[in-house]
Coordinates of all heavy atoms in Angstrom, one line a residue:
S12 N -0.9 6.5 -3.5 CA -1.3 5.2 -3.1 C -1.0 4.2 -4.2 O -1.1 4.5 -5.3 CB -2.7 5.2 -2.7 OG -3.2 3.9 -2.3
L13 N -0.8 3.0 -3.7 CA -0.8 1.9 -4.6 C -2.1 1.2 -4.6 O -3.0 1.5 -3.8 CB 0.3 0.8 -4.2 CG 1.7 1.3 -4.1 CD1 2.7 0.1 -4.0 CD2 2.1 2.2 -5.3
M14 N -2.4 0.3 -5.6 CA -3.6 -0.4 -5.7 C -3.4 -1.9 -6.0 O -2.3 -2.2 -6.5 CB -4.6 0.2 -6.7 CG -4.0 0.1 -8.1 SD -5.1 0.6 -9.4 CE -6.3 -0.8 -9.4
I15 N -4.4 -2.7 -5.7 CA -4.3 -4.1 -6.0 C -5.2 -4.4 -7.1 O -6.4 -4.1 -7.1 CB -4.6 -5.0 -4.7 CG1 -3.5 -4.8 -3.7 CG2 -4.7 -6.5 -5.1 CD1 -3.7 -5.4 -2.3
T16 N -4.7 -5.0 -8.2 CA -5.5 -5.3 -9.4 C -6.2 -6.7 -9.2 O -5.9 -7.5 -8.3 CB -4.7 -5.3 -10.7 OG1 -4.0 -6.6 -10.7 CG2 -3.8 -4.1 -10.8
D17 N -7.1 -7.0 -10.1 CA -7.9 -8.2 -10.1 C -7.1 -9.4 -10.4 O -7.6 -10.6 -10.5 CB -9.2 -8.2 -10.9 CG -8.9 -7.9 -12.4 OD1 -7.7 -8.0 -12.8 OD2 -9.8 -7.7 -13.1
E18 N -5.8 -9.2 -10.7 CA -4.9 -10.4 -10.8 C -4.5 -11.0 -9.5 O -3.8 -12.0 -9.4 CB -3.6 -10.0 -11.6 CG -3.9 -9.7 -13.1 CD -2.8 -8.9 -13.7 OE1 -1.8 -9.5 -14.1 OE2 -2.9 -7.7 -13.8
C19 N -4.9 -10.4 -8.4 CA -4.5 -10.8 -7.1 C -5.1 -12.3 -6.9 O -6.2 -12.6 -7.2 CB -5.2 -9.9 -6.0 SG -5.1 -10.5 -4.3
I20 N -4.2 -13.1 -6.3 CA -4.5 -14.5 -6.1 C -4.8 -14.8 -4.6 O -4.8 -16.0 -4.2 CB -3.4 -15.5 -6.6 CG1 -2.1 -15.1 -6.0 CG2 -3.3 -15.4 -8.2 CD1 -1.0 -16.2 -6.2
N21 N -5.0 -13.8 -3.8 CA -5.4 -13.9 -2.4 C -4.4 -14.8 -1.6 O -4.7 -15.6 -0.8 CB -6.8 -14.5 -2.3 CG -7.8 -13.6 -2.7 OD1 -7.9 -12.4 -2.3 ND2 -8.7 -14.0 -3.7
C22 N -3.1 -14.5 -1.9 CA -2.1 -15.4 -1.2 C -1.8 -14.9 0.2 O -1.2 -15.6 1.0 CB -0.8 -15.4 -2.0 SG 0.1 -13.8 -1.9
D23 N -2.2 -13.6 0.5 CA -2.1 -13.1 1.9 C -0.7 -12.7 2.3 O -0.5 -12.4 3.5 CB -2.7 -14.1 2.9 CG -2.8 -13.5 4.3 OD1 -3.1 -12.3 4.4 OD2 -2.6 -14.3 5.2
V24 N 0.3 -12.7 1.5 CA 1.7 -12.4 2.0 C 1.9 -10.9 2.1 O 2.7 -10.5 2.9 CB 2.8 -13.0 1.1 CG1 2.7 -14.5 1.1 CG2 2.9 -12.4 -0.3
C25 N 1.1 -10.1 1.4 CA 1.4 -8.6 1.5 C 0.8 -8.0 2.7 O 1.4 -7.1 3.3 CB 0.7 -7.9 0.3 SG -1.0 -8.2 0.1
E26 N -0.3 -8.5 3.2 CA -1.0 -7.9 4.3 C -0.2 -7.7 5.5 O -0.1 -6.6 6.1 CB -2.3 -8.7 4.6 CG -3.3 -8.0 5.5 CD -3.2 -8.5 6.9 OE1 -2.9 -9.7 7.1 OE2 -3.4 -7.7 7.8
P27 N 0.5 -8.7 6.0 CA 1.3 -8.5 7.2 C 2.6 -7.6 7.0 O 3.2 -7.2 8.0 CB 1.7 -9.9 7.7 CG 1.6 -10.7 6.4 CD 0.5 -10.1 5.6
E28 N 3.0 -7.4 5.8 CA 4.2 -6.6 5.5 C 3.9 -5.1 5.5 O 4.8 -4.3 5.6 CB 4.7 -6.9 4.1 CG 5.2 -8.4 3.9 CD 6.3 -8.8 4.9 OE1 7.1 -7.9 5.2 OE2 6.3 -9.9 5.3
C29 N 2.7 -4.7 5.5 CA 2.4 -3.2 5.4 C 2.5 -2.5 6.7 O 1.9 -2.9 7.7 CB 0.9 -3.0 4.9 SG 0.5 -1.3 4.8
P30 N 3.4 -1.5 6.8 CA 3.7 -0.8 8.0 C 2.5 0.1 8.5 O 2.5 0.5 9.6 CB 4.9 0.0 7.8 CG 4.8 0.2 6.3 CD 4.2 -1.0 5.7
N31 N 1.6 0.3 7.6 CA 0.5 1.2 7.9 C -0.9 0.5 8.0 O -1.9 1.1 8.1 CB 0.3 2.2 6.7 CG 1.6 3.2 6.7 OD1 2.1 3.6 7.7 ND2 2.0 3.5 5.5
N32 N -0.9 -0.8 8.0 CA -2.1 -1.6 8.0 C -3.1 -1.1 7.0 O -4.3 -1.0 7.3 CB -2.8 -1.5 9.4 CG -2.0 -2.3 10.5 OD1 -1.5 -3.4 10.2 ND2 -1.8 -1.7 11.6
A33 N -2.6 -0.8 5.8 CA -3.4 -0.3 4.7 C -4.1 -1.4 3.9 O -5.0 -1.2 3.1 CB -2.6 0.6 3.8
I34 N -3.6 -2.7 4.1 CA -4.0 -3.8 3.2 C -5.0 -4.7 4.0 O -4.8 -5.0 5.2 CB -2.9 -4.6 2.7 CG1 -1.9 -3.8 2.0 CG2 -3.4 -5.8 1.8 CD1 -0.6 -4.5 1.6
S35 N -6.1 -5.0 3.4 CA -7.1 -5.9 4.0 C -7.7 -6.8 3.0 O -7.7 -6.5 1.8 CB -8.2 -5.1 4.8 OG -8.9 -4.3 3.8
Q36 N -8.4 -7.8 3.4 CA -9.1 -8.7 2.5 C -10.4 -8.1 2.1 O -11.2 -7.8 3.0 CB -9.2 -10.1 3.1 CG -9.7 -11.1 2.1 CD -9.5 -12.5 2.6 OE1 -9.4 -12.8 3.8 NE2 -9.4 -13.5 1.6
G37 N -10.6 -7.9 0.8 CA -11.9 -7.4 0.4 C -12.9 -8.5 0.1 O -12.6 -9.7 0.5
E38 N -13.9 -8.2 -0.6 CA -14.9 -9.3 -0.9 C -14.4 -10.4 -1.8 O -14.6 -11.6 -1.6 CB -16.2 -8.7 -1.6 CG -17.2 -8.3 -0.6 CD -18.5 -7.7 -1.2 OE1 -18.9 -8.2 -2.3 OE2 -18.9 -6.6 -0.8
E39 N -13.6 -10.0 -2.8 CA -13.0 -11.0 -3.7 C -11.5 -11.1 -3.7 O -10.9 -12.2 -3.8 CB -13.5 -10.8 -5.1 CG -15.0 -11.1 -5.2 CD -15.5 -10.9 -6.6 OE1 -14.7 -10.6 -7.6 OE2 -16.8 -11.0 -6.8
I40 N -10.9 -9.9 -3.6 CA -9.4 -9.9 -3.5 C -9.0 -8.9 -2.4 O -9.8 -8.2 -1.8 CB -8.8 -9.4 -4.9 CG1 -9.5 -8.0 -5.3 CG2 -9.0 -10.4 -6.0 CD1 -8.9 -7.4 -6.5
Y41 N -7.7 -8.9 -2.2 CA -7.2 -7.9 -1.2 C -7.3 -6.5 -1.8 O -7.3 -6.3 -3.0 CB -5.7 -8.3 -0.9 CG -5.7 -9.4 0.2 CD1 -6.0 -10.7 -0.2 CD2 -5.3 -9.1 1.5 CE1 -6.0 -11.7 0.8 CE2 -5.3 -10.1 2.4 CZ -5.7 -11.4 2.1 OH -5.7 -12.4 3.0
Q42 N -7.3 -5.6 -0.8 CA -7.4 -4.2 -1.2 C -6.6 -3.3 -0.4 O -6.2 -3.6 0.7 CB -8.9 -3.7 -1.1 CG -9.5 -3.9 0.3 CD -11.0 -3.8 0.4 OE1 -11.7 -3.9 -0.6 NE2 -11.5 -3.7 1.7
I43 N -6.3 -2.1 -0.9 CA -5.4 -1.1 -0.2 C -6.3 0.2 0.1 O -7.0 0.7 -0.8 CB -4.2 -0.7 -1.1 CG1 -3.3 -1.9 -1.2 CG2 -3.5 0.5 -0.5 CD1 -2.1 -1.7 -2.1
D44 N -6.2 0.6 1.3 CA -6.9 1.8 1.7 C -6.1 3.0 1.3 O -5.0 3.2 1.9 CB -7.2 1.8 3.2 CG -8.0 3.1 3.7 OD1 -8.0 4.1 2.9 OD2 -8.5 3.0 4.8
P45 N -6.5 3.8 0.3 CA -5.6 4.9 -0.2 C -5.4 6.0 0.9 O -4.5 6.8 0.8 CB -6.4 5.5 -1.4 CG -7.8 5.1 -1.2 CD -7.8 3.8 -0.4
N46 N -6.2 6.0 1.9 CA -6.0 7.0 3.0 C -4.9 6.5 4.0 O -4.4 7.3 4.8 CB -7.3 7.1 3.9 CG -8.4 7.7 3.0 OD1 -8.2 8.7 2.4 ND2 -9.6 7.1 3.1
L47 N -4.5 5.3 3.9 CA -3.4 4.7 4.8 C -2.1 4.4 4.0 O -1.1 4.3 4.7 CB -4.0 3.5 5.5 CG -5.1 3.7 6.5 CD1 -5.5 2.4 7.1 CD2 -4.7 4.7 7.6
C48 N -2.2 4.2 2.7 CA -1.0 3.8 2.0 C -0.1 5.0 1.7 O -0.5 6.0 1.1 CB -1.4 3.1 0.7 SG 0.1 2.8 -0.4
T49 N 1.1 5.0 2.3 CA 2.1 6.1 2.0 C 3.1 5.6 1.0 O 4.1 6.3 0.8 CB 2.8 6.4 3.3 OG1 3.6 5.3 3.7 CG2 1.9 6.9 4.4
Q50 N 2.8 4.5 0.2 CA 3.8 3.9 -0.7 C 5.1 3.6 0.1 O 6.2 3.6 -0.4 CB 4.1 4.8 -1.9 CG 2.8 5.0 -2.7 CD 2.9 6.0 -3.8 OE1 1.9 6.5 -4.3 NE2 4.1 6.2 -4.4
C51 N 4.9 3.4 1.4 CA 5.9 3.0 2.4 C 6.8 4.2 2.8 O 7.8 4.0 3.5 CB 6.7 1.8 2.0 SG 5.8 0.2 2.3
V52 N 6.5 5.4 2.3 CA 7.3 6.6 2.7 C 7.2 6.7 4.2 O 6.1 6.6 4.8 CB 6.7 7.8 2.0 CG1 7.3 9.1 2.6 CG2 7.1 7.8 0.5
G53 N 8.4 7.0 4.8 CA 8.4 7.1 6.2 C 8.9 5.8 6.9 O 9.3 5.8 8.1
H54 N 8.8 4.7 6.2 CA 9.1 3.4 6.8 C 10.2 2.7 6.0 O 11.2 2.2 6.6 CB 7.9 2.5 6.8 CG 6.8 3.0 7.7 ND1 6.8 2.8 9.1 CD2 5.7 3.7 7.5 CE1 5.7 3.3 9.7 NE2 5.0 3.9 8.7
Y55 N 10.0 2.6 4.7 CA 11.0 1.8 3.9 C 11.3 2.6 2.6 O 10.5 3.4 2.1 CB 10.4 0.4 3.5 CG 10.1 -0.4 4.7 CD1 8.7 -0.5 5.1 CD2 11.1 -1.1 5.4 CE1 8.4 -1.3 6.2 CE2 10.7 -1.9 6.5 CZ 9.4 -2.0 6.9 OH 9.1 -2.8 8.0
D56 N 12.4 2.2 1.9 CA 12.8 2.8 0.6 C 11.9 2.3 -0.5 O 11.7 3.0 -1.5 CB 14.2 2.5 0.3 CG 15.2 3.3 1.2 OD1 14.7 4.3 1.8 OD2 16.3 2.8 1.4
E57 N 11.4 1.1 -0.4 CA 10.6 0.5 -1.4 C 9.3 0.0 -0.9 O 9.2 -0.4 0.3 CB 11.3 -0.8 -2.0 CG 12.7 -0.5 -2.5 CD 12.7 0.2 -3.9 OE1 11.6 0.1 -4.6 OE2 13.7 0.8 -4.2
P58 N 8.2 0.1 -1.7 CA 6.9 -0.4 -1.2 C 7.0 -1.9 -0.9 O 7.4 -2.7 -1.7 CB 6.0 -0.2 -2.4 CG 6.6 1.0 -3.1 CD 8.1 0.8 -3.0
Q59 N 6.8 -2.3 0.4 CA 7.0 -3.6 0.8 C 6.0 -4.6 0.2 O 6.4 -5.8 -0.1 CB 6.9 -3.7 2.4 CG 7.9 -2.9 3.1 CD 9.3 -3.3 2.8 OE1 9.7 -4.4 3.2 NE2 10.1 -2.6 2.0
C60 N 4.8 -4.2 0.0 CA 3.9 -5.1 -0.6 C 4.3 -5.5 -2.1 O 4.2 -6.7 -2.4 CB 2.5 -4.5 -0.7 SG 2.4 -2.9 -1.4
Q61 N 4.8 -4.5 -2.8 CA 5.3 -4.9 -4.2 C 6.5 -5.9 -4.1 O 6.6 -6.7 -5.0 CB 5.8 -3.6 -4.9 CG 4.7 -2.7 -5.4 CD 5.3 -1.5 -6.2 OE1 6.4 -1.1 -5.9 NE2 4.5 -1.0 -7.1
Q62 N 7.3 -5.7 -3.1 CA 8.5 -6.6 -2.9 C 8.1 -8.1 -2.8 O 8.8 -9.0 -3.2 CB 9.3 -6.2 -1.7 CG 9.8 -4.8 -1.7 CD 10.9 -4.6 -2.8 OE1 11.9 -5.3 -2.8 NE2 10.7 -3.6 -3.6
V63 N 6.9 -8.3 -2.1 CA 6.6 -9.7 -1.8 C 5.5 -10.3 -2.7 O 5.3 -11.5 -2.7 CB 6.1 -9.8 -0.3 CG1 7.3 -9.5 0.6 CG2 4.9 -9.0 0.0
C64 N 4.8 -9.5 -3.4 CA 3.7 -10.0 -4.2 C 4.2 -10.9 -5.3 O 5.0 -10.5 -6.2 CB 2.9 -8.9 -4.9 SG 1.5 -9.5 -5.9
P65 N 3.7 -12.2 -5.3 CA 4.3 -13.2 -6.3 C 3.8 -13.0 -7.7 O 4.3 -13.5 -8.7 CB 3.8 -14.5 -5.7 CG 2.6 -14.2 -5.0 CD 2.8 -12.8 -4.4
V66 N 2.7 -12.2 -7.9 CA 2.1 -12.0 -9.2 C 2.2 -10.6 -9.7 O 1.6 -10.2 -10.8 CB 0.7 -12.5 -9.3 CG1 0.6 -14.0 -9.1 CG2 -0.2 -11.8 -8.3
D67 N 2.9 -9.7 -9.0 CA 3.2 -8.3 -9.5 C 1.9 -7.6 -9.8 O 1.7 -7.0 -10.9 CB 4.0 -8.4 -10.7 CG 5.5 -8.0 -10.4 OD1 5.7 -7.4 -9.4 OD2 6.3 -8.4 -11.2
C68 N 0.9 -7.6 -8.9 CA -0.4 -7.0 -9.2 C -0.6 -5.8 -8.3 O -1.8 -5.5 -8.0 CB -1.5 -8.0 -9.0 SG -1.8 -8.5 -7.3
I69 N 0.4 -5.1 -7.9 CA 0.3 -3.9 -7.0 C 0.9 -2.7 -7.7 O 2.0 -2.2 -7.3 CB 0.8 -4.1 -5.6 CG1 0.4 -5.5 -5.1 CG2 0.3 -3.0 -4.7 CD1 0.9 -5.8 -3.7
P70 N 0.2 -2.1 -8.7 CA 0.8 -0.9 -9.3 C 0.4 0.4 -8.6 O -0.4 0.4 -7.6 CB 0.1 -0.9 -10.7 CG -1.2 -1.5 -10.4 CD -1.0 -2.5 -9.3
L71 N 0.9 1.5 -9.1 CA 0.5 2.9 -8.6 C -1.0 3.0 -9.0 O -1.5 2.6 -10.0 CB 1.2 4.0 -9.3 CG 2.5 4.4 -8.7 CD1 3.2 5.4 -9.7 CD2 2.3 5.1 -7.4
D72 N -1.8 3.6 -8.1 CA -3.2 3.8 -8.3 C -3.4 5.1 -9.0 O -3.1 6.2 -8.5 CB -3.9 3.9 -6.9 CG -5.4 4.1 -7.1 OD1 -5.9 4.3 -8.2 OD2 -6.1 4.0 -6.1
P73 N -3.8 5.1 -10.3 CA -3.9 6.3 -11.1 C -5.0 7.3 -10.5 O -4.9 8.4 -10.8 CB -4.3 5.8 -12.5 CG -4.7 4.4 -12.3 CD -4.1 3.9 -11.1
A74 N -5.9 6.7 -9.7 CA -6.9 7.6 -9.1 C -6.4 8.4 -7.9 O -7.1 9.3 -7.5 CB -8.1 6.7 -8.7
H75 N -5.2 8.0 -7.4 CA -4.7 8.7 -6.3 C -3.2 9.0 -6.4 O -2.3 8.5 -5.7 CB -4.8 7.8 -5.0 CG -6.3 7.5 -4.6 ND1 -6.9 6.4 -5.0 CD2 -7.2 8.3 -4.0 CE1 -8.2 6.4 -4.5 NE2 -8.4 7.5 -3.9
P76 N -2.9 9.9 -7.4 CA -1.5 10.4 -7.6 C -1.1 11.3 -6.5 O -1.9 12.1 -6.0 CB -1.6 11.1 -8.9 CG -3.0 11.7 -9.0 CD -3.9 10.6 -8.3
E77 N 0.1 11.1 -5.9 CA 0.6 11.9 -4.8 C 2.1 12.1 -5.0 O 2.8 11.3 -5.5 CB 0.4 11.1 -3.5 CG -1.0 10.9 -3.1 CD -1.3 9.7 -2.2 OE1 -1.1 8.6 -2.6 OE2 -1.6 9.9 -1.0
T78 N 2.5 13.3 -4.5 CA 3.9 13.7 -4.5 C 4.6 13.0 -3.3 O 3.9 12.6 -2.4 CB 4.2 15.2 -4.5 OG1 3.7 15.6 -3.2 CG2 3.4 15.9 -5.6
Q79 N 5.9 13.0 -3.3 CA 6.7 12.5 -2.2 C 6.3 13.3 -0.9 O 6.2 12.8 0.2 CB 8.2 12.6 -2.4 CG 8.7 11.6 -3.4 CD 8.5 10.1 -2.9 OE1 9.0 9.8 -1.9 NE2 7.8 9.3 -3.7
D80 N 6.2 14.7 -1.1 CA 5.8 15.5 0.0 C 4.5 15.2 0.6 O 4.2 15.1 1.8 CB 5.8 17.0 -0.4 CG 7.2 17.6 -0.5 OD1 8.2 16.9 0.0 OD2 7.4 18.7 -1.0
E81 N 3.5 14.9 -0.3 CA 2.2 14.5 0.2 C 2.2 13.2 0.9 O 1.5 13.0 1.9 CB 1.2 14.5 -1.0 CG 0.9 15.9 -1.6 CD 0.1 15.8 -2.9 OE1 0.3 14.9 -3.7 OE2 -0.7 16.8 -3.1
L82 N 3.0 12.3 0.3 CA 3.1 10.9 1.0 C 3.7 11.1 2.4 O 3.3 10.4 3.3 CB 3.9 10.0 0.1 CG 3.2 9.6 -1.2 CD1 4.2 8.9 -2.1 CD2 2.0 8.7 -0.9
H83 N 4.7 11.9 2.5 CA 5.4 12.1 3.8 C 4.4 12.8 4.8 O 4.4 12.4 5.9 CB 6.7 13.0 3.6 CG 7.5 13.0 4.8 ND1 8.2 11.9 5.3 CD2 7.7 14.0 5.7 CE1 8.8 12.2 6.4 NE2 8.5 13.5 6.7
A84 N 3.6 13.8 4.3 CA 2.7 14.4 5.2 C 1.6 13.4 5.7 O 1.2 13.4 6.8 CB 2.0 15.5 4.4
K85 N 1.2 12.5 4.8 CA 0.3 11.4 5.2 C 0.9 10.5 6.2 O 0.3 10.2 7.2 CB -0.1 10.6 4.0 CG -1.3 9.6 4.2 CD -1.4 8.6 3.2 CE -1.8 9.2 1.8 NZ -2.1 8.1 0.8
Y86 N 2.2 10.2 6.0 CA 2.9 9.4 7.0 C 2.9 10.1 8.4 O 2.6 9.4 9.4 CB 4.3 9.1 6.6 CG 5.3 8.8 7.7 CD1 5.2 7.5 8.3 CD2 6.2 9.7 8.1 CE1 6.0 7.2 9.3 CE2 7.1 9.4 9.1 CZ 7.0 8.1 9.8 OH 7.8 7.8 10.8
L87 N 3.2 11.4 8.4 CA 3.2 12.1 9.7 C 1.8 12.1 10.3 O 1.7 11.9 11.5 CB 3.7 13.5 9.5 CG 5.2 13.7 9.0 CD1 5.5 15.1 8.8 CD2 6.1 13.1 10.1
R88 N 0.8 12.3 9.5 CA -0.6 12.4 10.0 C -1.0 11.1 10.6 O -1.5 11.0 11.8 CB -1.5 12.8 8.8 CG -2.8 13.3 9.2 CD -3.5 14.0 8.0 NE -3.7 13.1 6.9 CZ -3.2 13.3 5.7 NH1 -2.4 14.4 5.5 NH2 -3.4 12.5 4.7
I89 N -0.8 10.0 9.9 CA -1.4 8.7 10.4 C -0.5 8.1 11.5 O -1.0 7.3 12.3 CB -1.6 7.7 9.3 CG1 -0.3 7.3 8.6 CG2 -2.6 8.2 8.3 CD1 -0.5 6.3 7.4
S90 N 0.8 8.6 11.6 CA 1.6 8.0 12.7 C 1.5 9.0 13.9 O 2.3 8.8 14.9 CB 3.0 7.9 12.2 OG 3.6 9.1 11.7
G91 N 0.7 10.0 13.8 CA 0.5 10.9 15.0 C 1.7 11.8 15.2 O 1.9 12.3 16.3
K92 N 2.5 12.0 14.2 CA 3.7 12.9 14.4 C 3.5 14.3 13.8 O 4.4 15.1 13.9 CB 4.9 12.3 13.7 CG 5.3 11.0 14.4 CD 6.5 10.3 13.7 CE 6.8 9.0 14.4 NZ 7.7 8.1 13.6
A93 N 2.3 14.6 13.2 CA 2.1 15.9 12.6 C 1.3 16.8 13.6 O 0.6 16.3 14.4 CB 1.3 15.8 11.3
Ligands
SF4_2 FE1 1.3 -0.7 2.7 FE2 3.6 0.2 1.7 FE3 2.1 -1.4 0.2 FE4 1.2 1.1 0.7 S1 3.1 0.5 -0.4 S2 0.0 -0.8 0.9 S3 2.1 1.4 2.8 S4 3.1 -1.9 2.1
SF4_3 FE1 -2.8 -10.4 -3.7 FE2 -0.3 -9.9 -4.3 FE3 -1.3 -9.4 -1.9 FE4 -0.9 -11.9 -2.7 S1 0.7 -10.4 -2.4 S2 -2.7 -11.1 -1.6 S3 -1.4 -11.8 -4.8 S4 -1.9 -8.4 -3.8

């Protein structure tokens, strides 16, 4: 999963780009649900949120390291294909 750091300026451009609806507005900044973020595996070659974020505040979440296989399995699970 990726994560959004406190450098987020609440610009709202990432939220509609997420194919998994993993991004939502939190209490102070936007947040990513690690149960839904596949790092865009299954949908796109690159994480779409990272592509659009104007302040580059969406790194890998060190608390949720995942292999490509695990990300693909998550994609299948949440898209109802597993
Ligand atoms: Fe959504 Fe993809 Fe960003 Fe994860 S990497 S939050 S799936 S847009
Ligand atoms: Fe925050 Fe970046 Fe998303 Fe804008 S694109 S809401 S700055 S995480």
